[in-house]
Amino acid sequence: MMSPAYKKFLVFSEKVVPFLSRPALPALLLPNGQHLFSSNAICRYMFEVSGVESTELCNQWLEWEATDLQEGKRNILLTSALPYVNNVPHLGNIIGCVLSADVFSRYGRLRGWNLLFVCGTDEYGTATENKAREEGLTPQQICDKYHAVHSSIYKWFQIDFDFFGRTTTEKQTEIAQDIFWRLHKNDFLVEDTVEQLCCENCKRFLADRFVEGICPHCSYPEARGDQCDKCGRLINAVELKEPQCKVCRQTPVIRTSKHLFLDLPKLESQLEQWLDKSTSGGDWTPNAKQITRSWLRDGLKPRCITRDLHWGTPVPHPDFKEKVFYVWFDAPIGYLSITANYTDKWEKWWKNPQQVELYNFMAKDNVPFHSVVFPCSLLGAQDNYTLVNHLVATEYLNYEDTKFSKSRGVGVFGDMAKDTGIPSDVWRFYLLYVRPEGQDSAFSWADMAMKNNSELLNNLGNFINRAGMFVMKFFEGCVPVMDLQHEDKRLLALVGWELQQYIQLMDKVKIRDALKHILNISRHGNQYIQVNEPWKKIKGGDTERQRAGTVTGVSVNIACLLSVMLLPYMPTVSQTIRDQLNAPQSCINTMLQGTGTFVCALSAGHRVGTVSPLFQKLEADQIEALKKKFGGQQNAASAQPVTVPVPAAAEVTTVNGVDSEKAKQLTQAVAEQGDKVRALKAQKAEKAVITAEVAKLLDLKKQLAVAEGKSPEPAPQKSKKK
């Protein structure tokens, strides 16, 4: 039952919301003049203001309600490329699909979009069969085991799917076979006898990704049986030069087999018409457009959709009952079946191109299957399917100066990240900071430490912590009265501009570029505090105390804005900031609406909570130990969590007593510690605190001198000659 106190806020009159062209029901007019329109949001608001906890059953109902389409809102269906179940994802996999999609999903919810975010493990195919053989399990047991591994990794990285499913389900069989029969009925399937590579040693036809050889087009030596990662061209496995079975490294032989093909040439004109509309009206990344154009430029060829395997979705045609669907026909249909396993309203999302916008997130090697093969399957099915409007593809993330390799122990994989002791928010931040949006990028331990220590600790964290501490220390924990002067208004205009840039970039899925505007705001804030010196003015007369109050109030409100802008990137840190500032929940729902509105969320008299530092420094020895651990020279003991030992003297490479790498790290550490000491002195910190930090600075300078081959002690002064 709704109490009378809440009923007075429910308004069903069009006059109350003059900016809408038609009434939106239900509508809730909040005391601050804002409106809520989603019944889901209204219910959550009611729970919040009443102080009553929502029950698990109620939460389930609210979640189901969110799967409805909403009139007058953007209804966004968001997918992340389905990770293959038997591969533990590395950092490149994580930033390439699930993390990028998660950031945009969280952002979309802040914008008030009605959004459904689905993903799951791709579980059929030869790779699963081989993994099962290696581990002495059945394919289903392998899928169950590694689905749990993936789920655990994404949970730790705070990937907030609406539903994370899998492809080994009855819904997958039902929907894939329905699409197959529709293609068959509409005459978009053709039969042909094909040559395939067969490994006589393994006694099986080889799936394309289990063949490796020299690319016939560019001579890249590690081309796969379906595609070359270097030149991007499609390959038939039998075209590879010097092919090898990736399982046993024997040379396979050619055998013939009858298969079904999707008649891509017959669908080409439909595809081109749709692509012209989608790429011109949607946000396709340049690499997605380029890769798709190259496919069309070369002319489409029939694409095989069946395979001689056992572990897969069965082909229902009686002439092909011993075969299963090829993974690249079957796997994208997983988006539909996963959604169907989540909600029985799945067709409202997947058969509704007029009301739903579809975003696909992936790495560039998946583009052709999402821009050509899968759309052709849906176009040929002729069942009003929702096709991709925005195809967002990253380039590749490398590890230091090489590739990730599980077999060689090179690189950080998802199940290892938490053992480093570095919080998942910091991992998220750095991966998004170096997200390969326009070109390949690289993960670097030294760079990660530098970005953490400079951008998070000394820039963002320093500003937010100082703003909150000033409220606690100078104003007894309550936000002071603000009397805005020209300088304050100029800062607010600058912050407002950065907010608008952030929104424009995020709307276009420029996730890495948008992050820079968050960091710009905290830089403006730090400069504002340094120039105005509220720690000095608080000791002056009434005018100066008023000025200190205004600077503090403005700063703490900027910190509140930053907490909202950070939410898609660093959800835990974002919540921690709001907890420390005791910020109202309403601030989340207001600042990112429209083109962006920086509002005063913490008005005069608002009481903040307990403020404490948000980030910790990553020390040089810690980073060096981690770099060594994940560099490929691991031994059995290195499988244990890292406790960050200091490298032994014998392990340090020196030339004439100079350790240049350590000197470089220590130079950076000295600079950062010097900044910290200067900041503490500027804040008039307690003498004991400053003395302790100065001692650390002097110790670092001594270590630097040793690394540079100099004496750690100052040279004795010579006595003056008389």
Side-chain angles (χ1 to χ4, degrees), residues 429 454-465 518-519 521-523 526 562 566 570 573 577 614-615:
F429 167 81
S454 59
E455 293 289 15
L456 292 183
L457 187 65
N458 293 342
N459 175 15
L460 184 68
N462 183 50
F463 169 70
I464 292 171
N465 187 248
I518 297 176
L519 301 172
I521 288 176
S522 56
R523 261 188 282 277
N526 275 317
L562 287 170
L566 269 175
M570 307 179 79
V573 168
I577 296 168
L614 297 168
F615 305 107

Side-chain angles (χ1 to χ4, degrees), residues 436-447:
E437 284 187 7
Q439 60 186 20
D440 290 358
S441 61
F443 172 89
S444 159
W445 282 108
D447 188 54

Side-chain angles (χ1 to χ4, degrees), residues 685-699:
E686 294 182 10
K687 187 174 181 180
V689 174
I690 295 175
T691 301
E693 296 301 330
V694 168
K696 290 182 184 178
L697 177 61
L698 293 174
D699 182 58

Side-chain angles (χ1 to χ4, degrees), residues 58 427 721:
C58 187
W427 281 104
K721 291 183 179 179

